[in-house]
Amino acid sequence: MTPSHLLVSPPKPFSTPTSLFLPPEQAVVPQRYVWAAARFWMETEGLKSRRYGGKSRHHWYALLYAMKSFQWFLKLVGGYERGERNAAELACSEIELAFADLPQAFDGFQILHLSDLHLDGNQGLVERILALLDGREVDLCVLTGDYRTELHGPIRETMDGLRTIVSGVRSRHGFLGILGNHDDCHMVAPMEEMGIRMLINESVQIQRQGQRLQFIGTDDVHYYYTEQALHALEAARDAWSVALVHSPELYDVAARMGAALYLCGHTHGGQVCLPGGLPIITHLNRGRGFFRGVWSYRGMQGVTNVGAGTSGIPVRFNTQGEIVILTLRRKAAAA
Ligand SMILES: [Fe+2]
């Protein structure tokens, strides 16, 4: 796999009269450039782009102020430290999913799924993740976005934490990553330099014994929806596919395109929940029923990772942060 570096490679010359709408290898303007221009504009304008059209300002900072007020309330009533202790208790969730049509060569394939690390707001998280893995080797590590909490500004602290994770995790087929709504387009180049193959509305295939497992990664669609995300998922028709999307909000499209598995995060499982794990906020426009755990939709299975970190304030109530180790199994044919 040769990583391509966003905003590093020189643009191809506009020498021949041709169209953007060509197969990726023939396009005069690489699709990543089209994506980066749209993403950068939305980021700098603080915009949220919706699936069925229309753009509006996102309300992250209003929400952040509300969370800071909640933080003061917790400190006042003495619950803040308990929330911090809850947030520091990270679990390793082992999940096994069986599929009748999984290519035989991938029976037992193990995927480490990390999501919502928010490394700039969760001191000690990198060490906790590596301690939990304790040197265990997996087939592949996928990262489904939200590497930091801030939406703007410096990224070095976050990238340094991520680099330590990549150095410490043992993954036979390496690392795949997508961006979340807290990440900005400038993270792509440093992440690829540290060995993470970023999927920006793109797909890659892993081959074993002539059989293929495909991973399709989209950009975040909670804030930064573009049609490119939808078109990327169409590749699911070509091979047995895993969709990597930051939030569950493309569940219906992925299922319609034929993805077998959908891995996402974003919701933190509610992060601050009522007793029984009932979420107050899921941060979802669609697919609210898929805010946590294992689910299925029209033959496609999905996992919404509760996330390893926290966002806004470093507390959890009635939820526990997790890293997920997912084992793919081929379902035995009925006798
Ligand atoms: Fe998110």
Side-chain angles (χ1 to χ4, degrees):
M1 291 186 294
T2 307
S4 46
H5 296 277
L6 175 71
L7 308 178
V8 172
S9 314
K12 292 178 184 172
F14 292 81
S15 53
T16 46
T18 182
S19 155
L20 288 177
F21 307 108
L22 287 169
E25 65 279 7
Q26 293 175 33
V28 171
V29 181
Q31 287 188 10
R32 278 197 176 193
Y33 285 32
V34 178
W35 165 79
R39 183 59 136 97
F40 185 63
W41 174 66
M42 287 191 278
E43 285 171 10
T44 51
E45 294 294 318
L47 292 177
K48 176 174 177 168
S49 168
R50 293 194 191 84
R51 182 161 147 200
Y52 292 110
K55 289 183 174 56
S56 60
R57 302 256 163 208
H58 62 67
H59 301 298
W60 166 250
Y61 288 102
L63 190 67
L64 189 60
Y65 290 134
M67 286 191 281
K68 293 288 179 193
S69 308
F70 181 60
Q71 183 175 17
W72 282 110
F73 169 76
L74 283 175
K75 284 182 174 173
L76 214 61
V77 299
Y80 185 72
E81 285 182 5
R82 201 180 100 216
E84 271 189 321
R85 280 198 302 276
N86 293 343
E89 281 178 19
L90 192 65
C92 180
S93 307
E94 303 262 359
I95 297 172
E96 194 168 295
L97 293 178
F99 305 83
D101 56 351
L102 178 74
Q104 185 65 52
F106 293 94
D107 184 27
F109 193 84
Q110 283 199 323
I111 301 170
L112 169 63
H113 179 197
L114 302 177
S115 198
D116 302 272
L117 304 172
H118 296 287
L119 290 167
D120 53 344
N122 288 271
Q123 292 294 319
L125 180 61
V126 170
E127 293 74 19
R128 283 199 293 278
I129 291 172
L130 295 178
L132 209 50
L133 287 168
D134 194 25
R136 179 170 169 178
E137 191 174 25
V138 293
D139 290 300
L140 180 72
C141 176
V142 300
L143 301 125
T144 51
D146 277 6
Y147 307 102
R148 71 168 178 192
T149 300
E150 292 294 332
L151 262 62
H152 302 282
I155 59 172
R156 186 164 288 188
E157 183 189 352
T158 300
M159 293 297 103
D160 287 347
L162 208 46
R163 195 172 293 107
T164 307
I165 291 177
V166 169
S167 316
V169 170
R170 298 174 65 214
S171 171
R172 292 181 194 94
H173 291 278
F175 298 79
L176 299 178
I178 56 170
L179 295 180
N181 59 312
H182 284 248
D183 305 320
D184 76 45
C185 60
H186 299 93
M187 291 181 179
V188 174
M191 286 179 72
E192 293 206 319
E193 276 159 17
M194 68 180 82
I196 303 170
R197 170 66 162 96
M198 296 300 288
L199 297 176
I200 310 292
N201 306 314
E202 295 158 338
S203 55
V204 290
Q205 295 185 353
I206 295 174
Q207 300 225 15
R208 269 188 182 180
Q209 299 156 32
Q211 297 182 328
R212 297 175 298 159
L213 196 63
Q214 180 167 252
F215 290 83
I216 306 168
T218 76
D219 189 14
D220 164 63
V221 295
H222 184 67
Y223 278 4
Y224 303 114
Y225 175 84
T226 66
E227 294 289 306
Q228 284 185 337
L230 197 144
H231 297 314
L233 287 169
E234 292 188 271
R237 293 185 175 146
D238 303 335
W240 199 94
S241 296
V242 181
L244 305 175
V245 187
H246 177 58
S247 75
E249 290 161 311
L250 279 187
Y251 69 97
D252 53 338
V253 177
R256 194 166 73 239
M257 299 304 172
L261 176 62
Y262 187 113
L263 301 181
C264 60
H266 174 66
T267 63
H268 299 191
Q271 188 171 317
V272 173
C273 289
L274 299 173
L278 208 62
I280 300 164
I281 304 172
T282 59
H283 296 284
L284 294 175
N285 300 317
R286 302 169 53 77
R288 290 192 178 91
F290 306 144
F291 79 98
R292 177 172 57 210
V294 179
W295 46 269
S296 68
Y297 178 80
R298 296 194 175 174
M300 179 183 76
Q301 301 194 63
V303 177
T304 305
N305 190 314
V306 164
T310 54
S311 156
I313 52 174
V315 299
R316 279 188 184 267
F317 288 97
N318 300 309
T319 59
Q320 186 175 15
E322 67 178 355
I323 63 173
V324 170
I325 295 183
L326 184 65
T327 305
L328 307 183
R329 288 285 174 204
R330 184 177 165 94
K331 208 182 279 181

